[in-house]
Amino acid sequence: MAKKTIMTCAVTGNGTMPSQNENLPVTPAEIAQAAIDAGKAGAAIAHMHVRDPETAKGSMDLNLYREVVDRIRDAGSDIVINLTTGEGQRFVPSEEDPSIAGPGTTLCHPSLRSAHVKALRPEICTLDFNTMVNKTWTVINTPPTLKVMADIANEAGTKPEIEIFDSGDLNMAKDFIAKGVLKSPAMFQFVMGINFGAAANYQTLAYLISQLPENSEWAAFGIGRNAYRMMALSYLMGGHVRIGMEDTVYIDKGELCKSNAQLVEKGVGIVESLGGTMATPAEAREILGLKQL
């Protein structure tokens, strides 16, 4: 039997703003409902950030995370919960003195970035292995920072989803696996099409896949206009898939999506039209070595 394909829905992120699409979920209630509806539409995993309900900007507030998780489980949804640890990694150099943090900097201690993982013990949390320039800021994830976060995830019984933005990130992740900081088999997510990161094309993805450790589970996704073609490419090359309003706010060219569930429905249609079969949350847990609910 062919391996089933896991669909992850990235419901809100921290970059997309309501000004781009008024249907973007912002409050804990909206984010939780978006995850629940994505599950009904065929997603096995919900990848979630939280946002300040007043400003709609990304947040690390534990109470917001707790409310999202509680709402999903209280509703009886069995979708796999995947929480980000990507907040708190941005450094914006001051124009007067680049050694000093300027407005927009969120860089903080890694234990703060993983406090919600320690408290809530989600099934999966992301670990960004990139240190890179993005637009006018730098994202910083040094090996000592990532070790702190990996240790917290391991102690919580949470499986890290290793986020790879370029080939050097994968080299570092493999070093973590070799040293036993990350457990094998590992779970990788290739982020394609970010400014100054891995290009969203076949050649780049083929190389990254060729460098994966044996028995790894992986997925790839594209940002913006690359979202749907990278989804198809990821499936065709043997990976899992991801879609959501973190990645695109459009259901078609020039047409804003109505919801994350609508994006998932389109994604499921793409995979199934290519011969794939979607994994249920229970099947995703089995594939990824997670405990069943």
Side-chain angles (χ1 to χ4, degrees):
M1 181 183 294
K3 182 178 75 173
K4 292 191 175 182
T5 301
I6 299 170
M7 167 73 76
T8 293
C9 181
V11 301
T12 190
N14 67 359
T16 311
M17 294 300 288
S19 59
Q20 296 171 269
N21 187 324
E22 64 181 9
N23 298 315
L24 181 76
V26 171
T27 67
E30 291 168 347
I31 293 167
Q33 192 60 52
I36 294 165
D37 293 343
K40 293 177 180 177
I45 299 174
H47 167 62
M48 291 169 288
H49 296 237
V50 294
R51 292 171 178 254
D52 182 321
E54 300 298 323
T55 66
K57 292 182 179 180
S59 173
M60 292 185 286
D61 188 327
L62 172 59
N63 291 326
L64 297 176
Y65 277 110
R66 190 186 305 277
E67 182 178 348
V68 168
V69 171
D70 286 349
R71 283 178 176 273
I72 292 170
R73 291 300 180 234
D74 289 348
S77 174
D78 66 343
I79 197 163
V80 179
I81 290 177
N82 175 342
L83 301 182
T84 188
T85 63
E87 299 291 342
Q89 61 181 340
R90 181 181 296 184
F91 181 82
V92 184
S94 168
E95 291 185 9
E96 294 77 20
D97 183 351
S99 68
I100 297 175
T105 295
T106 63
L107 192 64
C108 66
H109 195 277
S111 63
L112 296 177
R113 292 174 55 186
S114 297
H116 59 296
V117 175
K118 182 176 182 178
L120 303 178
R121 299 175 179 267
E123 294 169 274
I124 300 171
C125 72
T126 58
L127 279 184
D128 294 347
F129 266 69
N130 61 325
T131 292
M132 64 183 288
V133 174
N134 188 349
K135 299 179 182 177
T136 59
W137 61 82
T138 300
V139 169
I140 300 177
N141 290 293
T142 62
T145 286
L146 287 168
K147 184 179 186 307
V148 169
M149 297 171 71
D151 287 345
I152 290 172
N154 290 334
E155 290 168 9
T158 297
K159 188 176 186 72
E161 180 184 73
I162 304 166
E163 306 292 300
I164 300 298
F165 293 73
D166 218 336
S167 58
D169 305 346
L170 183 51
N171 291 338
M172 184 161 63
K174 289 162 71 173
D175 183 63
F176 271 51
I177 293 170
K179 292 176 178 175
V181 179
L182 290 174
K183 300 174 184 178
S184 184
M187 174 187 184
F188 291 87
Q189 182 75 259
F190 295 125
V191 185
M192 316 294 289
I194 292 283
N195 288 328
F196 314 130
N201 58 39
Y202 166 81
Q203 294 89 340
T204 303
L205 183 56
Y207 172 74
L208 292 171
I209 295 168
S210 76
Q211 300 302 302
L212 280 170
E214 289 187 9
N215 303 316
S216 298
E217 293 294 337
W218 66 272
F221 71 95
I223 296 295
R225 70 185 66 182
N226 298 304
Y228 298 114
R229 67 188 189 90
M230 289 308 301
M231 170 185 286
L233 190 59
S234 183
Y235 166 71
L236 290 171
M237 295 179 75
H240 301 292
V241 297
R242 167 176 143 165
I243 198 70
M245 293 184 76
E246 177 173 358
D247 305 335
T248 181
V249 295
Y250 291 94
I251 190 65
D252 211 337
K253 187 174 182 180
E255 181 183 349
L256 293 171
C257 69
K258 297 177 182 178
S259 65
N260 279 280
Q262 186 187 30
L263 295 175
V264 170
E265 288 171 0
K266 179 172 180 174
V268 168
I270 290 171
V271 172
E272 291 182 342
S273 72
L274 295 170
T277 303
M278 308 313 300
T280 65
E283 290 167 338
R285 289 183 175 92
E286 183 176 356
I287 292 168
L288 298 173
L290 306 175
K291 293 180 180 179
Q292 296 292 341
L293 289 183

